Amino acid sequence: DGGITQSPKYLFRKEGQNVTLSCEQNLNHDAMYWYRQDPGQGLRLIYYSQIVNDFQKGDIAEGYSVSREKKESFPLTVTSAQKNPTAFYLCASNPDGINSPLHFGNGTRLTVT
Amino acid sequence: KQEVTQIPAALSVPEGENLVLNCSFTDSAIYNLQWFRQDPGKGLTSLLLIQSSQREQTSGRLNASLDKSSGRSTLYIAASQPGDSATYLCAVEGNEKLTFGTGTRLTIIP
């Protein structure tokens, strides 16, 4: 079955460490996205990519970095510069970026202590 | 800047009842409005997408309407079932990509 796989489901890190969240899709979608979800807030866009080797900052990109070397993969690195990294991170994709429904992975819950 | 509001934040209804969830947005210059469902600890599942030129979309027991001029959308769920319990989020797509509401947590009481 086609879908989006995020791993791991739970991730624990010490403050000051960088951590990379994995996102892989086999839907052959061009566009991929990273969102952050915090209690009581709507999803906020971190980064998005509409094509391989290209990506754009979203609303809250500070302290995060991404790469898009392959169509299937869009890993997110949470750096030590991110002031409040504990959150639920969601990866999504859609075929061409506009006017098509988003498909989401099951998320990674990151806890930084 | 687009703002999306969903009221109420939580709703409980007895099984079998029909119900309506509300979504409002401030900027009517949108490409589409999408409704999603989220189960606890999971990702979002797309339910319906309404293009800006459309008034409504239907899928099974779900019907979503869009009134762009007034900045409102409703999600109607017919004959609710316990399995419908989840958080329902709406999102509008415009020049700022997708802007999400904070969701309505729906509980269907058996």
Side-chain angles (χ1 to χ4, degrees), chain A residues 9 33 35 37 40-43 45 48 50 88 90 97-102 104-107 109, chain B residues 1 31-32 34 36 38 41-46 49 51-52 89 93 96-102:
Chain A
K9 186 172 176 63
Y33 308 80
Y35 288 92
Q37 186 174 34
Q41 298 195 40
L43 274 70
L45 182 63
Y48 65 98
Q50 294 187 300
F88 189 50
L90 288 160
I98 294 179
N99 266 337
S100 54
L102 275 181
F104 280 85
N106 275 330
R109 186 165 299 280
Chain B
K1 182 175 165 63
Y31 299 126
N32 63 66
Q34 302 183 39
F36 296 88
Q38 185 176 29
K42 301 286 189 182
L44 281 66
T45 300
S46 178
L49 182 151
Q51 308 272 8
S52 61
L89 297 98
E93 183 168 14
E96 297 171 4
K97 293 291 175 182
L98 271 179
T99 303
F100 285 82
T102 53

mmCIF file of all heavy atoms in Angstrom, chain A residues 9 33 35 37 40-43 45 48 50 88 90 97-102 104-107 109, chain B residues 1 31-32 34 36 38 41-46 49 51-52 89 93 96-102:
data_model
loop_
_atom_site.group_PDB
_atom_site.id
_atom_site.type_symbol
_atom_site.label_atom_id
_atom_site.label_comp_id
_atom_site.label_asym_id
_atom_site.label_seq_id
_atom_site.Cartn_x
_atom_site.Cartn_y
_atom_site.Cartn_z
ATOM 1 N N LYS A 9 8.573 6.617 15.933
ATOM 2 C CA LYS A 9 7.306 7.145 16.431
ATOM 3 C C LYS A 9 7.552 8.050 17.639
ATOM 4 O O LYS A 9 6.904 9.075 17.808
ATOM 5 C CB LYS A 9 6.371 6.003 16.827
ATOM 6 C CG LYS A 9 4.978 6.456 17.226
ATOM 7 C CD LYS A 9 4.070 5.260 17.410
ATOM 8 C CE LYS A 9 2.695 5.683 17.906
ATOM 9 N NZ LYS A 9 2.000 6.547 16.922
ATOM 10 N N TYR A 33 6.050 18.113 2.830
ATOM 11 C CA TYR A 33 5.912 19.169 3.832
ATOM 12 C C TYR A 33 6.284 18.633 5.216
ATOM 13 O O TYR A 33 6.069 17.452 5.510
ATOM 14 C CB TYR A 33 4.452 19.656 3.902
ATOM 15 C CG TYR A 33 3.846 20.058 2.589
ATOM 16 C CD1 TYR A 33 3.358 19.096 1.703
ATOM 17 C CD2 TYR A 33 3.741 21.402 2.237
ATOM 18 C CE1 TYR A 33 2.799 19.465 0.500
ATOM 19 C CE2 TYR A 33 3.172 21.774 1.030
ATOM 20 C CZ TYR A 33 2.703 20.807 0.173
ATOM 21 O OH TYR A 33 2.148 21.174 -1.022
ATOM 22 N N TYR A 35 5.285 19.696 9.208
ATOM 23 C CA TYR A 35 4.484 20.515 10.105
ATOM 24 C C TYR A 35 4.848 20.179 11.549
ATOM 25 O O TYR A 35 5.245 19.060 11.865
ATOM 26 C CB TYR A 35 2.984 20.243 9.922
ATOM 27 C CG TYR A 35 2.404 20.779 8.649
ATOM 28 C CD1 TYR A 35 2.351 19.992 7.499
ATOM 29 C CD2 TYR A 35 1.874 22.067 8.589
ATOM 30 C CE1 TYR A 35 1.796 20.477 6.325
ATOM 31 C CE2 TYR A 35 1.317 22.558 7.420
ATOM 32 C CZ TYR A 35 1.288 21.756 6.299
ATOM 33 O OH TYR A 35 0.742 22.240 5.145
ATOM 34 N N GLN A 37 2.994 20.276 15.400
ATOM 35 C CA GLN A 37 1.703 20.390 16.075
ATOM 36 C C GLN A 37 1.954 20.473 17.578
ATOM 37 O O GLN A 37 2.590 19.602 18.166
ATOM 38 C CB GLN A 37 0.795 19.188 15.760
ATOM 39 C CG GLN A 37 -0.602 19.337 16.313
ATOM 40 C CD GLN A 37 -1.523 18.207 15.881
ATOM 41 O OE1 GLN A 37 -1.106 17.068 15.722
ATOM 42 N NE2 GLN A 37 -2.797 18.517 15.643
ATOM 43 N N GLY A 40 -3.346 22.794 21.485
ATOM 44 C CA GLY A 40 -4.085 24.051 21.435
ATOM 45 C C GLY A 40 -3.723 24.946 20.270
ATOM 46 O O GLY A 40 -4.270 26.052 20.158
ATOM 47 N N GLN A 41 -2.835 24.486 19.392
ATOM 48 C CA GLN A 41 -2.459 25.299 18.233
ATOM 49 C C GLN A 41 -2.721 24.513 16.965
ATOM 50 O O GLN A 41 -2.671 23.289 16.951
ATOM 51 C CB GLN A 41 -0.977 25.675 18.297
ATOM 52 C CG GLN A 41 -0.584 26.521 19.494
ATOM 53 C CD GLN A 41 0.774 27.152 19.312
ATOM 54 O OE1 GLN A 41 1.124 27.616 18.226
ATOM 55 N NE2 GLN A 41 1.569 27.187 20.373
ATOM 56 N N GLY A 42 -2.968 25.227 15.905
ATOM 57 C CA GLY A 42 -3.090 24.570 14.615
ATOM 58 C C GLY A 42 -1.728 24.099 14.131
ATOM 59 O O GLY A 42 -0.697 24.492 14.674
ATOM 60 N N LEU A 43 -1.713 23.261 13.128
ATOM 61 C CA LEU A 43 -0.456 22.824 12.543
ATOM 62 C C LEU A 43 0.278 24.023 11.945
ATOM 63 O O LEU A 43 -0.342 24.887 11.305
ATOM 64 C CB LEU A 43 -0.713 21.805 11.422
ATOM 65 C CG LEU A 43 -0.857 20.354 11.842
ATOM 66 C CD1 LEU A 43 -2.153 20.120 12.592
ATOM 67 C CD2 LEU A 43 -0.773 19.450 10.612
ATOM 68 N N LEU A 45 3.590 25.237 9.518
ATOM 69 C CA LEU A 45 4.470 24.753 8.462
ATOM 70 C C LEU A 45 5.917 25.118 8.766
ATOM 71 O O LEU A 45 6.238 26.296 8.987
ATOM 72 C CB LEU A 45 4.034 25.354 7.121
ATOM 73 C CG LEU A 45 4.814 24.933 5.888
ATOM 74 C CD1 LEU A 45 4.666 23.430 5.647
ATOM 75 C CD2 LEU A 45 4.334 25.725 4.683
ATOM 76 N N TYR A 48 8.815 23.183 3.234
ATOM 77 C CA TYR A 48 8.175 22.397 2.200
ATOM 78 C C TYR A 48 9.073 22.336 0.979
ATOM 79 O O TYR A 48 9.955 23.176 0.787
ATOM 80 C CB TYR A 48 6.785 22.934 1.841
ATOM 81 C CG TYR A 48 6.755 24.310 1.223
ATOM 82 C CD1 TYR A 48 6.660 24.480 -0.155
ATOM 83 C CD2 TYR A 48 6.766 25.445 2.028
ATOM 84 C CE1 TYR A 48 6.604 25.735 -0.715
ATOM 85 C CE2 TYR A 48 6.715 26.709 1.481
ATOM 86 C CZ TYR A 48 6.623 26.857 0.106
ATOM 87 O OH TYR A 48 6.571 28.115 -0.448
ATOM 88 N N GLN A 50 8.761 21.356 -3.275
ATOM 89 C CA GLN A 50 7.877 21.032 -4.400
ATOM 90 C C GLN A 50 8.578 20.206 -5.470
ATOM 91 O O GLN A 50 7.924 19.733 -6.408
ATOM 92 C CB GLN A 50 7.295 22.311 -4.988
ATOM 93 C CG GLN A 50 6.355 23.013 -4.001
ATOM 94 C CD GLN A 50 5.632 24.197 -4.584
ATOM 95 O OE1 GLN A 50 6.270 25.142 -5.013
ATOM 96 N NE2 GLN A 50 4.321 24.153 -4.587
ATOM 97 N N PHE A 88 4.999 17.427 18.413
ATOM 98 C CA PHE A 88 4.593 16.336 17.523
ATOM 99 C C PHE A 88 4.856 16.813 16.102
ATOM 100 O O PHE A 88 4.334 17.851 15.683
ATOM 101 C CB PHE A 88 3.112 16.029 17.762
ATOM 102 C CG PHE A 88 2.602 14.795 17.071
ATOM 103 C CD1 PHE A 88 3.267 13.586 17.178
ATOM 104 C CD2 PHE A 88 1.423 14.831 16.335
ATOM 105 C CE1 PHE A 88 2.787 12.443 16.562
ATOM 106 C CE2 PHE A 88 0.923 13.681 15.728
ATOM 107 C CZ PHE A 88 1.609 12.494 15.841
ATOM 108 N N LEU A 90 4.794 16.249 11.998
ATOM 109 C CA LEU A 90 4.037 15.554 10.961
ATOM 110 C C LEU A 90 4.617 15.847 9.585
ATOM 111 O O LEU A 90 4.854 17.008 9.242
ATOM 112 C CB LEU A 90 2.572 15.981 10.990
ATOM 113 C CG LEU A 90 1.770 15.458 12.180
ATOM 114 C CD1 LEU A 90 0.526 16.297 12.398
ATOM 115 C CD2 LEU A 90 1.385 14.005 11.965
ATOM 116 N N GLY A 97 1.277 20.070 -5.173
ATOM 117 C CA GLY A 97 1.421 21.238 -4.323
ATOM 118 C C GLY A 97 0.211 22.137 -4.193
ATOM 119 O O GLY A 97 0.095 22.874 -3.246
ATOM 120 N N ILE A 98 -0.696 22.134 -5.150
ATOM 121 C CA ILE A 98 -1.855 23.019 -5.057
ATOM 122 C C ILE A 98 -3.113 22.223 -5.407
ATOM 123 O O ILE A 98 -3.113 21.417 -6.327
ATOM 124 C CB ILE A 98 -1.728 24.223 -6.011
ATOM 125 C CG1 ILE A 98 -0.565 25.125 -5.576
ATOM 126 C CG2 ILE A 98 -3.020 25.027 -6.068
ATOM 127 C CD1 ILE A 98 -0.353 26.316 -6.486
ATOM 128 N N ASN A 99 -4.158 22.467 -4.640
ATOM 129 C CA ASN A 99 -5.471 21.914 -4.959
ATOM 130 C C ASN A 99 -5.521 20.393 -4.995
ATOM 131 O O ASN A 99 -6.282 19.814 -5.772
ATOM 132 C CB ASN A 99 -6.002 22.472 -6.289
ATOM 133 C CG ASN A 99 -6.888 23.679 -6.077
ATOM 134 O OD1 ASN A 99 -7.449 23.861 -5.005
ATOM 135 N ND2 ASN A 99 -7.011 24.495 -7.106
ATOM 136 N N SER A 100 -4.711 19.771 -4.193
ATOM 137 C CA SER A 100 -4.844 18.320 -4.034
ATOM 138 C C SER A 100 -4.692 17.998 -2.554
ATOM 139 O O SER A 100 -3.945 18.663 -1.848
ATOM 140 C CB SER A 100 -3.819 17.567 -4.877
ATOM 141 O OG SER A 100 -2.516 18.007 -4.613
ATOM 142 N N PRO A 101 -5.439 16.982 -2.093
ATOM 143 C CA PRO A 101 -5.442 16.715 -0.657
ATOM 144 C C PRO A 101 -4.075 16.276 -0.164
ATOM 145 O O PRO A 101 -3.321 15.608 -0.857
ATOM 146 C CB PRO A 101 -6.469 15.604 -0.484
ATOM 147 C CG PRO A 101 -6.859 15.161 -1.826
ATOM 148 C CD PRO A 101 -6.332 16.116 -2.841
ATOM 149 N N LEU A 102 -3.784 16.672 1.065
ATOM 150 C CA LEU A 102 -2.542 16.269 1.704
ATOM 151 C C LEU A 102 -2.664 14.860 2.284
ATOM 152 O O LEU A 102 -3.691 14.512 2.849
ATOM 153 C CB LEU A 102 -2.187 17.221 2.848
ATOM 154 C CG LEU A 102 -1.436 18.506 2.533
ATOM 155 C CD1 LEU A 102 -1.176 19.253 3.825
ATOM 156 C CD2 LEU A 102 -0.147 18.219 1.819
ATOM 157 N N PHE A 104 -0.820 12.440 5.073
ATOM 158 C CA PHE A 104 0.045 12.595 6.235
ATOM 159 C C PHE A 104 0.610 11.257 6.696
ATOM 160 O O PHE A 104 -0.043 10.205 6.563
ATOM 161 C CB PHE A 104 -0.737 13.202 7.399
ATOM 162 C CG PHE A 104 -0.909 14.686 7.317
ATOM 163 C CD1 PHE A 104 -1.948 15.227 6.588
ATOM 164 C CD2 PHE A 104 -0.033 15.535 7.976
ATOM 165 C CE1 PHE A 104 -2.110 16.612 6.504
ATOM 166 C CE2 PHE A 104 -0.187 16.917 7.908
ATOM 167 C CZ PHE A 104 -1.230 17.452 7.166
ATOM 168 N N GLY A 105 1.828 11.332 7.272
ATOM 169 C CA GLY A 105 2.353 10.208 8.024
ATOM 170 C C GLY A 105 1.749 10.195 9.411
ATOM 171 O O GLY A 105 0.939 11.056 9.763
ATOM 172 N N ASN A 106 2.161 9.212 10.228
ATOM 173 C CA ASN A 106 1.610 9.077 11.567
ATOM 174 C C ASN A 106 2.366 9.862 12.621
ATOM 175 O O ASN A 106 2.033 9.767 13.805
ATOM 176 C CB ASN A 106 1.523 7.600 11.964
ATOM 177 C CG ASN A 106 0.242 6.961 11.469
ATOM 178 O OD1 ASN A 106 -0.778 7.631 11.347
ATOM 179 N ND2 ASN A 106 0.297 5.684 11.172
ATOM 180 N N GLY A 107 3.360 10.609 12.206
ATOM 181 C CA GLY A 107 3.991 11.549 13.123
ATOM 182 C C GLY A 107 5.124 10.974 13.945
ATOM 183 O O GLY A 107 5.243 9.756 14.143
ATOM 184 N N ARG A 109 6.812 11.901 17.741
ATOM 185 C CA ARG A 109 6.739 12.734 18.951
ATOM 186 C C ARG A 109 8.144 12.886 19.504
ATOM 187 O O ARG A 109 8.748 11.920 19.957
ATOM 188 C CB ARG A 109 5.817 12.123 19.996
ATOM 189 C CG ARG A 109 5.619 13.039 21.204
ATOM 190 C CD ARG A 109 4.444 12.627 22.060
ATOM 191 N NE ARG A 109 3.189 12.660 21.362
ATOM 192 C CZ ARG A 109 2.461 13.752 21.136
ATOM 193 N NH1 ARG A 109 2.910 14.927 21.548
ATOM 194 N NH2 ARG A 109 1.308 13.670 20.507
ATOM 195 N N LYS B 1 -3.027 38.282 7.014
ATOM 196 C CA LYS B 1 -2.659 36.905 7.351
ATOM 197 C C LYS B 1 -3.928 36.112 7.634
ATOM 198 O O LYS B 1 -4.778 36.509 8.409
ATOM 199 C CB LYS B 1 -1.764 36.904 8.585
ATOM 200 C CG LYS B 1 -1.280 35.527 8.997
ATOM 201 C CD LYS B 1 -0.305 35.644 10.149
ATOM 202 C CE LYS B 1 -0.062 34.309 10.837
ATOM 203 N NZ LYS B 1 0.555 33.325 9.976
ATOM 204 N N TYR B 31 -7.809 28.912 -2.536
ATOM 205 C CA TYR B 31 -7.909 27.932 -3.619
ATOM 206 C C TYR B 31 -8.890 26.819 -3.243
ATOM 207 O O TYR B 31 -9.615 26.309 -4.091
ATOM 208 C CB TYR B 31 -6.552 27.309 -3.900
ATOM 209 C CG TYR B 31 -5.486 28.280 -4.351
ATOM 210 C CD1 TYR B 31 -4.266 28.345 -3.688
ATOM 211 C CD2 TYR B 31 -5.701 29.118 -5.439
ATOM 212 C CE1 TYR B 31 -3.280 29.221 -4.087
ATOM 213 C CE2 TYR B 31 -4.716 30.010 -5.840
ATOM 214 C CZ TYR B 31 -3.517 30.054 -5.161
ATOM 215 O OH TYR B 31 -2.544 30.933 -5.557
ATOM 216 N N ASN B 32 -8.857 26.426 -1.972
ATOM 217 C CA ASN B 32 -9.716 25.349 -1.532
ATOM 218 C C ASN B 32 -9.799 25.325 -0.026
ATOM 219 O O ASN B 32 -9.040 26.035 0.657
ATOM 220 C CB ASN B 32 -9.210 23.986 -2.051
ATOM 221 C CG ASN B 32 -7.842 23.621 -1.502
ATOM 222 O OD1 ASN B 32 -7.677 23.406 -0.307
ATOM 223 N ND2 ASN B 32 -6.845 23.550 -2.388
ATOM 224 N N GLN B 34 -10.111 22.286 3.072
ATOM 225 C CA GLN B 34 -9.999 20.844 3.306
ATOM 226 C C GLN B 34 -10.426 20.512 4.737
ATOM 227 O O GLN B 34 -10.143 21.262 5.663
ATOM 228 C CB GLN B 34 -8.557 20.376 3.080
ATOM 229 C CG GLN B 34 -8.040 20.679 1.681
ATOM 230 C CD GLN B 34 -6.643 20.154 1.416
ATOM 231 O OE1 GLN B 34 -6.284 19.065 1.845
ATOM 232 N NE2 GLN B 34 -5.849 20.945 0.691
ATOM 233 N N PHE B 36 -10.069 17.474 7.639
ATOM 234 C CA PHE B 36 -9.257 16.327 8.026
ATOM 235 C C PHE B 36 -9.802 15.735 9.319
ATOM 236 O O PHE B 36 -10.437 16.415 10.110
ATOM 237 C CB PHE B 36 -7.803 16.725 8.277
ATOM 238 C CG PHE B 36 -7.069 17.256 7.081
ATOM 239 C CD1 PHE B 36 -7.115 18.601 6.768
ATOM 240 C CD2 PHE B 36 -6.326 16.409 6.279
ATOM 241 C CE1 PHE B 36 -6.432 19.101 5.674
ATOM 242 C CE2 PHE B 36 -5.624 16.893 5.185
ATOM 243 C CZ PHE B 36 -5.680 18.246 4.880
ATOM 244 N N GLN B 38 -8.285 13.543 12.735
ATOM 245 C CA GLN B 38 -7.086 13.100 13.424
ATOM 246 C C GLN B 38 -7.472 12.268 14.645
ATOM 247 O O GLN B 38 -8.169 12.755 15.537
ATOM 248 C CB GLN B 38 -6.212 14.285 13.856
ATOM 249 C CG GLN B 38 -4.888 13.861 14.475
ATOM 250 C CD GLN B 38 -3.981 15.031 14.808
ATOM 251 O OE1 GLN B 38 -4.434 16.131 15.089
ATOM 252 N NE2 GLN B 38 -2.664 14.805 14.745
ATOM 253 N N GLY B 41 -2.774 10.718 18.749
ATOM 254 C CA GLY B 41 -1.420 10.241 18.503
ATOM 255 C C GLY B 41 -1.128 9.841 17.068
ATOM 256 O O GLY B 41 -0.103 9.205 16.803
ATOM 257 N N LYS B 42 -2.028 10.199 16.168
ATOM 258 C CA LYS B 42 -1.864 9.804 14.761
ATOM 259 C C LYS B 42 -1.752 11.021 13.857
ATOM 260 O O LYS B 42 -1.929 12.162 14.285
ATOM 261 C CB LYS B 42 -3.091 8.981 14.315
ATOM 262 C CG LYS B 42 -3.325 7.725 15.116
ATOM 263 C CD LYS B 42 -2.322 6.641 14.775
ATOM 264 C CE LYS B 42 -2.703 5.327 15.433
ATOM 265 N NZ LYS B 42 -1.715 4.261 15.145
ATOM 266 N N GLY B 43 -1.464 10.742 12.583
ATOM 267 C CA GLY B 43 -1.466 11.799 11.600
ATOM 268 C C GLY B 43 -2.877 12.166 11.178
ATOM 269 O O GLY B 43 -3.861 11.649 11.715
ATOM 270 N N LEU B 44 -2.982 13.070 10.215
ATOM 271 C CA LEU B 44 -4.280 13.514 9.725
ATOM 272 C C LEU B 44 -4.697 12.689 8.515
ATOM 273 O O LEU B 44 -3.861 12.312 7.695
ATOM 274 C CB LEU B 44 -4.227 14.990 9.320
ATOM 275 C CG LEU B 44 -4.297 16.038 10.422
ATOM 276 C CD1 LEU B 44 -3.088 16.001 11.341
ATOM 277 C CD2 LEU B 44 -4.477 17.424 9.813
ATOM 278 N N THR B 45 -6.001 12.460 8.425
ATOM 279 C CA THR B 45 -6.569 11.775 7.266
ATOM 280 C C THR B 45 -7.468 12.748 6.532
ATOM 281 O O THR B 45 -8.370 13.342 7.130
ATOM 282 C CB THR B 45 -7.382 10.548 7.703
ATOM 283 O OG1 THR B 45 -6.522 9.636 8.400
ATOM 284 C CG2 THR B 45 -7.995 9.856 6.503
ATOM 285 N N SER B 46 -7.223 12.910 5.241
ATOM 286 C CA SER B 46 -8.047 13.818 4.442
ATOM 287 C C SER B 46 -9.454 13.245 4.281
ATOM 288 O O SER B 46 -9.631 12.068 3.940
ATOM 289 C CB SER B 46 -7.411 14.019 3.071
ATOM 290 O OG SER B 46 -8.208 14.842 2.259
ATOM 291 N N LEU B 49 -12.159 17.707 0.183
ATOM 292 C CA LEU B 49 -11.538 18.938 -0.329
ATOM 293 C C LEU B 49 -12.565 19.639 -1.192
ATOM 294 O O LEU B 49 -13.135 19.028 -2.123
ATOM 295 C CB LEU B 49 -10.285 18.620 -1.137
ATOM 296 C CG LEU B 49 -9.485 19.803 -1.704
ATOM 297 C CD1 LEU B 49 -8.005 19.424 -1.828
ATOM 298 C CD2 LEU B 49 -10.019 20.272 -3.048
ATOM 299 N N GLN B 51 -13.079 22.767 -3.708
ATOM 300 C CA GLN B 51 -12.437 23.815 -4.489
ATOM 301 C C GLN B 51 -13.170 25.129 -4.261
ATOM 302 O O GLN B 51 -14.352 25.137 -3.929
ATOM 303 C CB GLN B 51 -12.487 23.464 -5.985
ATOM 304 C CG GLN B 51 -11.965 22.097 -6.326
ATOM 305 C CD GLN B 51 -10.487 22.059 -6.582
ATOM 306 O OE1 GLN B 51 -9.797 23.045 -6.362
ATOM 307 N NE2 GLN B 51 -9.982 20.914 -7.028
ATOM 308 N N SER B 52 -12.481 26.243 -4.488
ATOM 309 C CA SER B 52 -13.077 27.556 -4.223
ATOM 310 C C SER B 52 -14.312 27.822 -5.087
ATOM 311 O O SER B 52 -15.172 28.609 -4.717
ATOM 312 C CB SER B 52 -12.050 28.663 -4.448
ATOM 313 O OG SER B 52 -11.610 28.663 -5.788
ATOM 314 N N LEU B 89 -10.256 18.729 11.832
ATOM 315 C CA LEU B 89 -9.577 19.989 11.531
ATOM 316 C C LEU B 89 -9.948 20.457 10.143
ATOM 317 O O LEU B 89 -10.085 19.649 9.215
ATOM 318 C CB LEU B 89 -8.057 19.826 11.605
ATOM 319 C CG LEU B 89 -7.467 19.449 12.961
ATOM 320 C CD1 LEU B 89 -7.221 17.942 13.027
ATOM 321 C CD2 LEU B 89 -6.158 20.175 13.187
ATOM 322 N N GLU B 93 -6.425 26.646 1.849
ATOM 323 C CA GLU B 93 -5.232 26.796 1.039
ATOM 324 C C GLU B 93 -5.327 28.081 0.246
ATOM 325 O O GLU B 93 -6.279 28.307 -0.494
ATOM 326 C CB GLU B 93 -5.048 25.616 0.089
ATOM 327 C CG GLU B 93 -3.762 25.709 -0.716
ATOM 328 C CD GLU B 93 -3.408 24.436 -1.442
ATOM 329 O OE1 GLU B 93 -4.273 23.550 -1.557
ATOM 330 O OE2 GLU B 93 -2.250 24.323 -1.883
ATOM 331 N N GLU B 96 -0.615 31.564 1.207
ATOM 332 C CA GLU B 96 0.230 31.242 2.347
ATOM 333 C C GLU B 96 0.253 29.751 2.602
ATOM 334 O O GLU B 96 0.494 29.304 3.697
ATOM 335 C CB GLU B 96 -0.271 31.975 3.589
ATOM 336 C CG GLU B 96 -0.200 33.487 3.462
ATOM 337 C CD GLU B 96 -0.904 34.174 4.617
ATOM 338 O OE1 GLU B 96 -1.373 33.489 5.541
ATOM 339 O OE2 GLU B 96 -0.982 35.405 4.582
ATOM 340 N N LYS B 97 0.032 28.964 1.563
ATOM 341 C CA LYS B 97 -0.083 27.524 1.706
ATOM 342 C C LYS B 97 -1.292 27.208 2.580
ATOM 343 O O LYS B 97 -2.246 27.960 2.636
ATOM 344 C CB LYS B 97 1.223 26.918 2.265
ATOM 345 C CG LYS B 97 2.370 27.033 1.282
ATOM 346 C CD LYS B 97 2.108 26.117 0.095
ATOM 347 C CE LYS B 97 3.151 26.257 -0.978
ATOM 348 N NZ LYS B 97 2.876 25.401 -2.146
ATOM 349 N N LEU B 98 -1.258 26.080 3.269
ATOM 350 C CA LEU B 98 -2.395 25.669 4.088
ATOM 351 C C LEU B 98 -2.337 26.312 5.471
ATOM 352 O O LEU B 98 -1.313 26.275 6.134
ATOM 353 C CB LEU B 98 -2.410 24.157 4.267
ATOM 354 C CG LEU B 98 -3.149 23.313 3.254
ATOM 355 C CD1 LEU B 98 -3.018 21.844 3.621
ATOM 356 C CD2 LEU B 98 -4.603 23.688 3.178
ATOM 357 N N THR B 99 -3.451 26.902 5.882
ATOM 358 C CA THR B 99 -3.586 27.422 7.233
ATOM 359 C C THR B 99 -4.626 26.574 7.952
ATOM 360 O O THR B 99 -5.751 26.445 7.463
ATOM 361 C CB THR B 99 -4.021 28.888 7.231
ATOM 362 O OG1 THR B 99 -3.085 29.661 6.481
ATOM 363 C CG2 THR B 99 -4.102 29.424 8.646
ATOM 364 N N PHE B 100 -4.226 26.008 9.086
ATOM 365 C CA PHE B 100 -5.080 25.073 9.812
ATOM 366 C C PHE B 100 -5.798 25.751 10.971
ATOM 367 O O PHE B 100 -5.252 26.653 11.618
ATOM 368 C CB PHE B 100 -4.248 23.925 10.386
ATOM 369 C CG PHE B 100 -3.811 22.913 9.379
ATOM 370 C CD1 PHE B 100 -2.703 23.124 8.590
ATOM 371 C CD2 PHE B 100 -4.525 21.728 9.219
ATOM 372 C CE1 PHE B 100 -2.289 22.181 7.649
ATOM 373 C CE2 PHE B 100 -4.126 20.782 8.293
ATOM 374 C CZ PHE B 100 -3.017 21.008 7.503
ATOM 375 N N GLY B 101 -7.000 25.280 11.245
ATOM 376 C CA GLY B 101 -7.665 25.599 12.493
ATOM 377 C C GLY B 101 -7.135 24.688 13.594
ATOM 378 O O GLY B 101 -6.364 23.766 13.347
ATOM 379 N N THR B 102 -7.592 24.952 14.827
ATOM 380 C CA THR B 102 -7.110 24.166 15.960
ATOM 381 C C THR B 102 -7.949 22.916 16.207
ATOM 382 O O THR B 102 -7.610 22.100 17.047
ATOM 383 C CB THR B 102 -7.077 25.003 17.235
ATOM 384 O OG1 THR B 102 -8.363 25.604 17.421
ATOM 385 C CG2 THR B 102 -6.021 26.103 17.144
#
